Amino acid sequence: MKFAVLVFPGSNCDLDMYHAIKDELGEEAEYVWHDTKDLSGYDGILLPGGFSYGDYLRCGAIAQFSNVMSEVKKAADAGKPVLGICNGFQILTEAGLLPGALLRNKNLKFMCRTVKLTVENNDTMFTNAYANGQVIDVPIAHGEGNYTCDAETLASLKANNQIVFTYSNDNPNGSVEDIAGIVNERGNVLGMMPHPERAVHELIGGTDGLALFKSMVKQWRESHVSHA
């Protein structure tokens, strides 16, 4: 499986993402610049964290107009896995690939620490290697991770089982319903504020994030075998 690690001006988690895929997962990965106009050669699209375009105007508000985003939408429409982490999540909501928005943390402070997440839905291409209800340790690092949406959208997220991760016993940023990660209705676009790419080796504090990437590879291989 070949992953594209998108790089916007201001991305700062692309190195972590590349290391997680290449060195810990053992799959192909390439850095892809924000003005790229063709992602057809990649099987999975990864939008890392950071401060795209300095987070001027609003997090992800400028990045959504990058040339590569029309290719990200094509990949999503084609059913390829698209994963946005932290700033990547913010970009996906700004681009309309995921519903809702990310506001300033409730305490108006940047937070960087490990939190506990509950896997609310393991029936996705991103979470099939977890158990439903499993509690995992994953780091956060954000100032605007307070997920919000209107009541109609929240009802839809619940009805369609699109809430994939919630904060377990400690909601660090004030997100509605403790939401830490959601997928689109089709289930192939995931946005989450915590950083699974920073939880892929014991030397950096744990390996609970690795199963997310293994899930994507498992789904991709099973899909390609069944269609061979």
Side-chain angles (χ1 to χ4, degrees):
M1 188 173 183
K2 187 175 181 179
F3 289 89
V5 179
L6 304 190
V7 183
F8 300 90
S11 296
N12 66 7
C13 299
D14 42 323
L15 292 173
D16 295 338
M17 189 81 87
Y18 182 89
H19 166 73
I21 300 299
K22 193 81 172 180
D23 301 324
E24 302 302 333
L25 193 64
E27 298 293 328
E28 289 187 71
E30 290 182 354
Y31 296 113
V32 177
W33 197 232
H34 64 99
D35 62 354
T36 299
K37 297 179 180 178
D38 184 7
L39 291 177
S40 61
Y42 300 96
D43 306 304
I45 313 300
L46 307 173
L47 288 77
F51 303 90
S52 58
Y53 297 90
D55 279 349
Y56 291 115
L57 297 181
R58 191 175 60 244
C59 297
I62 300 176
Q64 67 159 316
F65 296 111
S66 298
N67 285 333
V68 76
M69 289 308 297
S70 61
E71 288 297 302
V72 173
K73 291 176 181 176
K74 286 182 185 177
D77 290 343
K80 292 183 179 180
V82 176
L83 169 63
I85 298 171
C86 199
N87 194 224
F89 187 11
Q90 295 159 345
I91 294 170
L92 291 177
T93 58
E94 290 288 338
L97 286 167
L98 289 173
L102 284 309
L103 306 177
R104 293 283 304 277
N105 295 342
K106 63 181 180 182
N107 62 6
L108 303 181
K109 295 180 180 179
F110 183 91
M111 293 181 293
C112 182
R113 57 186 170 88
T114 295
V115 299
K116 292 190 178 298
L117 303 180
T118 299
V119 179
E120 298 289 348
N121 178 6
N122 73 340
D123 189 24
T124 79
M125 64 173 65
F126 305 97
T127 53
N128 58 61
Y130 295 108
N132 231 20
Q134 183 177 347
V135 177
I136 59 176
D137 293 322
V138 182
I140 59 168
H142 58 250
E144 299 186 28
N146 183 353
Y147 180 79
T148 188
C149 61
D150 59 31
E152 182 179 354
T153 299
L154 181 59
S156 178
L157 290 175
K158 290 181 176 179
N160 296 323
N161 210 16
Q162 291 174 245
I163 300 172
V164 176
F165 295 111
T166 58
Y167 298 106
S168 180
N169 300 323
D170 175 22
N171 183 339
N173 49 38
S175 291
V176 63
E177 297 281 335
D178 301 328
I179 289 174
I182 60 170
V183 289
N184 62 345
E185 278 195 50
R186 186 172 179 175
N188 67 309
V189 179
L190 168 66
M192 60 187 298
M193 288 311 297
H195 289 262
E197 81 281 10
R198 295 184 183 177
V200 295
H201 197 285
E202 294 295 348
L203 284 176
I204 54 175
T207 61
D208 283 354
L210 194 56
L212 187 147
F213 300 106
K214 288 182 176 178
S215 297
M216 297 170 69
V217 174
K218 177 176 180 287
Q219 175 81 19
W220 182 83
R221 287 186 175 152
E222 290 178 352
S223 172
H224 280 70
V225 167
S226 64
H227 288 87

